[in-house]
Amino acid sequence: MKQLKSRSQDLRSLFEKSITIEYVAEPLKAVSAHADAIEVLHWMELQDFDVVGVEAENTISGYVKRSDLMLCQAGKCSDYQQIFHPQELVAISTPLMKLLPILAEKSRLFVLDSNHVSGIITYGDLQKAPVRMLLFSLVTLLEMNLLRLVRLYYPPDSWQQVLKPDRLGAAQTLWRESRERNEATELLDYLQFCDKRELILNQSELFQQLGLNSKRSGEKLLKSAEHLRNRLAHAQNLVSGSSWPELISLAEAIEKLLICCEKIE
């Protein structure tokens, strides 16, 4: 079967040139600097906003947090305003590919469009389609490379001796069904992610080349990648049972592993 020449470098180029954080950011709602703090607090609670901008002279000059307003007794929003810190700001033209590492350190970023703050990005925005596309592309490229390495490291049909009988049987069933539809390629193409993981981890000489410390660490990483792939495929919550920092770390680990895979010829 002809090998597809999809690379992590191509993916990064696509997301850096074509998809920026503009596609996931939300407009930053703002209130007047002279607005009553208690009234704004009640409005934020109704809207379930944690943060809103503070506007003066048609410019958002800072923000207030709901948690701060909950402690107030009276006064104007400007009394509780926080000024934007440079580390809280991100340009609207920033590639989506670079957003995840930044959000690993910050749970919230304000979007700078020219010299005006116009939007906000939080962890919740990472559930949106562009981020899901990015993550699914990474996992798909990884799985394609795992299959390529199986072909590289196993002489014809020798991998069948490694897989458990039930897993081999599952692949053979899918292959036969495709054959009946006159669509079948080779049996290897019907392996599932878990099968490719098992075959790769059976090759101890690959551990160092893939940057893995042990079979156990490799299994943990690849199982996490598979679980992420399943959540993406079924449009489920991306951080079910985990956290955003953990997901971001996983995405970085997947990309690192993918790059190592691509270096093996």
Side-chain angles (χ1 to χ4, degrees), residues 91-255:
I92 196 170
S93 59
T94 301
L96 184 61
M97 199 81 173
K98 295 182 179 179
L99 175 64
L100 295 183
I102 300 174
L103 278 179
E105 305 295 333
K106 301 282 184 181
S107 61
R108 174 182 62 239
L109 292 169
F110 296 101
V111 180
L112 193 63
D113 187 357
S114 295
N115 61 339
H116 299 287
V117 173
S118 62
I120 186 172
I121 295 176
T122 66
Y123 282 151
D125 295 310
L126 299 184
Q127 298 277 8
K128 295 178 180 177
V131 179
R132 288 175 175 269
M133 289 166 54
L134 169 61
L135 295 175
F136 195 78
S137 298
L138 278 174
V139 178
T140 300
L141 280 178
L142 175 61
E143 187 170 7
M144 289 169 61
N145 271 274
L146 294 181
L147 181 57
R148 184 181 66 83
L149 293 181
V150 169
R151 286 193 170 96
L152 197 60
Y153 275 79
Y154 286 89
D157 298 331
S158 64
W159 58 270
Q160 296 186 32
Q161 310 303 317
V162 178
L163 281 188
K164 296 178 181 178
D166 61 325
R167 296 306 313 155
L168 177 59
Q172 290 172 332
T173 297
L174 292 174
W175 178 76
R176 283 193 294 268
E177 290 174 353
S178 292
R179 190 176 182 183
E180 291 172 359
R181 299 191 299 267
N182 198 31
E183 298 173 353
T185 52
E186 56 181 308
L187 184 58
L188 263 177
D189 294 317
Y190 297 88
L191 297 180
Q192 302 299 304
F193 195 108
C194 59
D195 303 323
K196 299 164 191 171
R197 179 187 71 232
E198 187 68 25
L199 291 169
I200 291 299
L201 294 179
N202 188 61
Q203 295 285 346
S204 57
E205 61 186 285
L206 274 175
F207 292 170
Q208 185 174 0
Q209 296 183 72
L210 294 178
L212 302 174
N213 295 324
S214 64
K215 181 176 181 178
R216 183 176 181 180
S217 64
E219 183 175 34
K220 181 180 179 180
L221 172 56
L222 290 175
K223 280 187 175 181
S224 295
E226 182 181 8
H227 292 158
L228 174 60
R229 192 276 307 269
N230 293 340
R231 291 197 296 271
L232 289 163
H234 298 291
Q236 296 173 344
N237 189 319
L238 295 181
V239 289
S240 178
S242 62
S243 67
W244 285 112
E246 289 175 330
L247 175 62
I248 292 171
S249 294
L250 173 60
E252 292 175 333
I254 290 174
E255 184 180 13

Side-chain angles (χ1 to χ4, degrees), residues 34-138:
H34 302 292
D36 182 82
I38 299 298
E39 292 182 3
V40 169
L41 171 62
H42 292 160
W43 174 73
M44 291 178 71
E45 290 174 337
L46 288 174
Q47 300 295 325
D48 195 27
F49 289 156
D50 293 322
V51 173
V52 294
V54 176
E55 189 174 55
E57 299 180 359
N58 297 320
T59 299
I60 299 177
S61 56
Y63 64 94
V64 291
K65 297 190 295 185
R66 185 169 69 182
S67 58
D68 290 341
L69 294 184
M70 291 176 67
L71 303 175
C72 74
Q73 300 297 321
K76 300 178 295 184
C77 275
S78 58
D79 298 331
Y80 306 92
Q81 174 180 336
Q82 295 190 35
I83 303 301
F84 296 115
H85 190 281
Q87 292 185 347
E88 296 178 303
L89 300 173
V90 60
I92 196 170
S93 59
T94 301
L96 184 61
M97 199 81 173
K98 295 182 179 179
L99 175 64
L100 295 183
I102 300 174
L103 278 179
E105 305 295 333
K106 301 282 184 181
S107 61
R108 174 182 62 239
L109 292 169
F110 296 101
V111 180
L112 193 63
D113 187 357
S114 295
N115 61 339
H116 299 287
V117 173
S118 62
I120 186 172
I121 295 176
T122 66
Y123 282 151
D125 295 310
L126 299 184
Q127 298 277 8
K128 295 178 180 177
V131 179
R132 288 175 175 269
M133 289 166 54
L134 169 61
L135 295 175
F136 195 78
S137 298
L138 278 174

